[in-house]
Amino acid sequence: MDAASTIPMATLLLALCTLSALPEISSASITRHYKFDIKMQNVTRLCHTRSIATVNGRFPGPKIVAREGDRVIVRVVNHVKNNVTIHWHGVRQLRTGWADGPAYMTQCPIQTGQSYVYNFTILAQRGTLFWHAHISWMRVTLYGPIVILPKRGVPYPFAKPYKEIPIIFGEWFNVDTEAVIAQALRTGAGPNVSDAYTINGLPGPLYNCSKDTFKLKVKPGKTYLLRMINAALNDELFFSIADHNLTVVEVDAIYTKPFNSDIVLITPGQTTNVLLQTKPSLPSATFLMAARPYATGLGTFDNTTTAGLLEYLPPTFSLPSTLAENLALLKPTLPSLNDTAFAASFSSKVRSLANAQFPANVPQTVDRRFYFTVGLGTSPCPRNQTCQGPNGTKFAASVNNISFALPSTPLLESHFLGQSKGVYTTDFPNNPPFPFNYTGTPPNNTLVTNGTKVVVLPFNTSVELVMQDTSIQGAESHPLHLHGYNFFVVGRGSGNYDASKDPAKFNLADPIEMNTVGVPAGGWVAIRFRADNPGVWFMHCHLDVHTSWGLGMAWAVNDGLLPSQKLLPPPSDLPKC
């Protein structure tokens, strides 16, 4: 064979080698770069034009897309007068607590004219999460979706959808929310409520002077994956699409055993992926999709309904506009505002897939047990001031009667440097300091204690935590979010937790894994997690008004012995206070 004839063979061999290497190359993790410019933007809703803080001028903000295993680098530049931080809600931040984002917990805020680079790797997670500001009430307009795709070549554990669509719930205020919470904290009263709920930033047709409605255009006979996110400030929401069933397949970026429901309950901080199967043929109707609050407390709330439209596209031809406008509009039926029975029933159906590929690694033994009361309370009114809270006091909130006081030095920095003195103490109570009938008649003394207290955990401690709602200022559902971790929801119930009887009913086989769980109104929830992520991690109610009142605490998880079990050192551009 002459040299000329060997060249094509060599080229062919090279091509074959290249092709055989492609799958390995394409499945490798990559680094994805984003830039977030925090800037003011005029936005009009409900005939009110406001200058709001946005990312890159967009409301809601841009979508972060990554694959499991990818590294994500986001440079955040603050061009607004307010201090800002960004939290990557639900991302585990393994050893990278400096990128978690809650102000004065893991970092000083990014001040006007400053920037900070959030640098983290998404490990062993796939699904829908979201990002949002984590200082004061700035997240009211600073939020957007995080879509974590499976590794290349790894399918979903359900049929591949025709299309994927984010559905983000939010709240719209006609006034500046920073002024709203500042006034509430000054007077001690409950804050003014929002003027509308939104779907993908739009209030919908049920509000006066609303010209903006989200429209989901679908084809008959297709399956759509709706990536739902509750980014609302202060309200849990019921959601439904008229005359359509939804199949829940994931919550908080954890695959679930699929179950059908025509109504979904989603708390602030939670994400829920559902499959929407459209009708096999073109229907002669348009369908309203609607969300309104699940409200269990005694305080005022935004009792309105946001709506979008599900519109079917003709498969091969266009309907005349007059015919399209004359289609019947079908509306969904949502539960009553305080339907705790539906909430309990829906929550009980959410279970982990718990198979060989996606196991539920529930801690079967427990090293440390905790019992936390979560709820409202009061603080005394300062002298020479008239307060508008209960009986002339100020509204407050607490965990185990400790109302969390934000420090001026970030807890993570103090922990890392071993300089906690004057910043925080490690005497957070393991149990309620003043036992009472938590869901019965409240005690006469409802005053809370203010403090910056943490629980210290050795690395790899298995934790069981029971969170108990209280009746002080009214029983109420509280969505509790734990930073830096997922946890398993092993039990829940109504009334007071009974440590002698209730653990026998815990589900240790396939409990759902979450980062945000609703503590039932007048009830309790039990969770387990393994403290395998060193750092300081905020746990708080995701109703921002309650966080502002002090419903939070922190877990300080010490380093392990191995290098891979230690918190990484802080980045050089970490903001200064």
Side-chain angles (χ1 to χ4, degrees):
M1 188 179 290
D2 59 21
S5 63
T6 63
I7 293 173
M9 182 61 70
T11 305
L12 179 62
L13 287 171
L14 178 63
L16 287 171
C17 289
T18 304
L19 283 171
S20 67
L22 275 178
E24 188 175 343
I25 293 171
S26 64
S27 66
S29 302
I30 64 171
T31 300
R32 298 175 186 256
H33 294 265
Y34 293 87
K35 187 183 179 190
F36 279 15
D37 282 302
I38 313 294
K39 59 184 183 179
M40 304 305 288
Q41 182 75 31
N42 282 344
V43 173
T44 302
R45 300 287 186 271
L46 310 182
C47 292
H48 284 73
T49 299
R50 279 188 53 217
S51 184
I52 65 172
T54 67
V55 168
N56 303 344
R58 295 168 60 181
F59 171 67
K63 179 168 61 177
I64 295 281
V65 179
R67 286 194 181 275
E68 179 184 346
D70 284 353
R71 183 181 178 191
V72 177
I73 296 177
V74 187
R75 183 168 182 256
V76 178
V77 185
N78 185 9
H79 304 279
V80 304
K81 66 179 182 182
N82 304 86
N83 289 342
V84 168
T85 69
I86 302 292
H87 170 51
W88 317 95
H89 185 110
V91 174
R92 283 289 315 270
Q93 299 292 358
L94 290 164
R95 303 173 61 216
T96 54
W98 310 103
D100 191 40
Y104 302 106
M105 301 297 296
T106 60
Q107 68 168 97
C108 297
I110 308 167
Q111 299 176 32
T112 307
Q114 294 185 344
S115 66
Y116 180 46
V117 176
Y118 291 91
N119 184 343
F120 54 90
T121 301
I122 297 172
L123 297 170
Q125 290 185 278
R126 80 292 305 164
T128 304
L129 297 171
F130 71 119
W131 59 263
H132 60 79
H134 208 303
I135 182 169
S136 188
W137 282 18
M138 293 295 290
R139 76 175 181 89
V140 68
T141 58
L142 290 172
Y143 61 84
I146 300 176
V147 174
I148 307 170
L149 301 170
K151 290 182 178 180
R152 286 197 183 275
V154 178
Y156 295 133
F158 45 83
K160 182 178 172 60
Y162 173 71
K163 211 169 188 178
E164 303 180 10
I165 296 118
I167 303 287
I168 315 175
F169 305 108
E171 287 186 80
W172 172 263
F173 288 73
N174 287 333
V175 296
D176 177 19
T177 46
E178 292 304 285
V180 169
I181 184 56
Q183 180 188 35
L185 294 177
R186 186 173 60 252
T187 65
N192 292 335
V193 301
S194 57
D195 294 284
Y197 299 106
T198 57
I199 298 177
N200 290 346
L202 305 176
L206 304 182
Y207 293 96
N208 290 331
C209 204
S210 177
K211 303 173 182 177
D212 306 289
T213 299
F214 172 70
K215 295 180 180 180
L216 175 56
K217 298 181 184 294
V218 298
K219 294 182 178 179
K222 302 289 186 184
T223 301
Y224 293 78
L225 179 67
L226 307 185
R227 296 180 175 271
M228 300 199 306
I229 298 163
N230 189 348
L233 271 189
N234 292 315
D235 293 276
E236 305 183 46
L237 295 169
F238 295 119
F239 172 77
S240 185
I241 301 176
D243 199 30
H244 285 73
N245 223 350
L246 304 171
T247 304
V248 177
V249 293
E250 178 201 304
V251 298
D252 287 4
I254 295 292
Y255 295 132
T256 67
K257 288 182 170 66
F259 69 93
N260 295 331
S261 181
D262 56 347
I263 299 162
V264 170
L265 173 61
I266 183 167
T267 79
Q270 285 183 343
T271 59
T272 303
N273 280 8
V274 299
L275 297 176
L276 166 67
Q277 180 66 48
T278 59
K279 297 186 178 301
S281 57
L282 189 67
S284 57
T286 296
F287 304 88
L288 206 68
M289 59 175 79
R292 78 174 186 195
Y294 168 52
T296 55
L298 298 178
T300 56
F301 61 95
D302 178 355
N303 186 9
T304 64
T305 303
T306 182
L309 294 174
L310 181 73
E311 296 183 346
Y312 276 76
L313 296 170
T316 54
F317 63 92
S318 296
L319 282 172
S321 58
T322 52
L323 182 57
E325 290 170 4
N326 291 331
L327 290 175
L329 177 62
L330 302 185
K331 299 178 180 180
T333 300
L334 289 165
S336 61
L337 294 164
N338 62 348
D339 193 340
T340 53
F342 177 89
S345 172
F346 182 84
S347 299
S348 69
K349 296 174 186 174
V350 185
R351 293 174 178 255
S352 290
L353 201 52
N355 60 17
Q357 188 177 5
F358 302 105
N361 296 316
V362 193
Q364 298 294 312
T365 58
V366 174
D367 299 321
R368 297 280 302 277
R369 284 185 166 84
F370 300 89
Y371 185 40
F372 289 177
T373 54
V374 297
L376 303 187
T378 56
S379 290
C381 189
R383 287 185 178 180
N384 304 319
Q385 184 182 337
T386 302
C387 293
Q388 299 171 15
N391 301 315
T393 63
K394 285 187 164 190
F395 270 113
S398 69
V399 180
N400 272 354
N401 210 51
I402 308 294
S403 186
F404 188 80
L406 274 179
S408 54
T409 300
L411 296 189
L412 185 60
E413 179 183 327
S414 304
H415 169 79
F416 181 76
L417 297 174
Q419 298 173 353
S420 62
K421 189 174 181 180
V423 181
Y424 67 87
T425 60
T426 58
D427 57 344
F428 190 90
N430 294 353
N431 295 284
F434 309 109
F436 63 99
N437 180 4
Y438 304 114
T439 55
T441 303
N444 293 327
N445 182 2
T446 62
L447 294 176
V448 300
T449 301
N450 295 316
T452 309
K453 299 176 183 288
V454 309
V455 172
V456 177
L457 295 172
F459 184 83
N460 222 34
T461 301
S462 60
V463 173
E464 180 179 286
L465 167 63
V466 176
M467 291 181 281
Q468 172 75 59
D469 183 37
T470 78
S471 58
I472 297 175
Q473 308 306 332
E476 184 171 359
S477 176
H478 297 278
L480 263 291
H481 171 52
L482 176 58
H483 288 236
Y485 287 91
N486 284 343
F487 49 75
F488 293 94
V489 183
V490 297
R492 53 165 51 89
S494 59
N496 297 336
Y497 172 72
D498 187 335
S500 65
K501 296 179 181 177
D502 289 324
K505 297 176 281 188
F506 283 179
N507 173 16
L508 302 180
D510 64 347
I512 190 56
E513 191 178 344
M514 310 179 90
N515 64 62
T516 305
V517 66
V519 179
W524 56 270
V525 67
I527 67 172
R528 286 187 181 184
F529 66 95
R530 186 171 299 282
D532 58 1
N533 191 9
V536 178
W537 305 104
F538 198 20
M539 189 178 79
H540 62 96
C541 183
H542 220 274
L543 306 181
D544 274 27
V545 58
H546 292 173
T547 306
S548 299
W549 287 342
L551 208 167
M553 55 79 66
W555 305 88
V557 180
N558 289 330
D559 284 348
L561 297 176
L562 302 176
S564 62
Q565 299 171 344
K566 297 182 187 302
L567 176 67
L568 293 171
S572 59
D573 66 336
L574 189 70
K576 302 287 189 284
C577 291

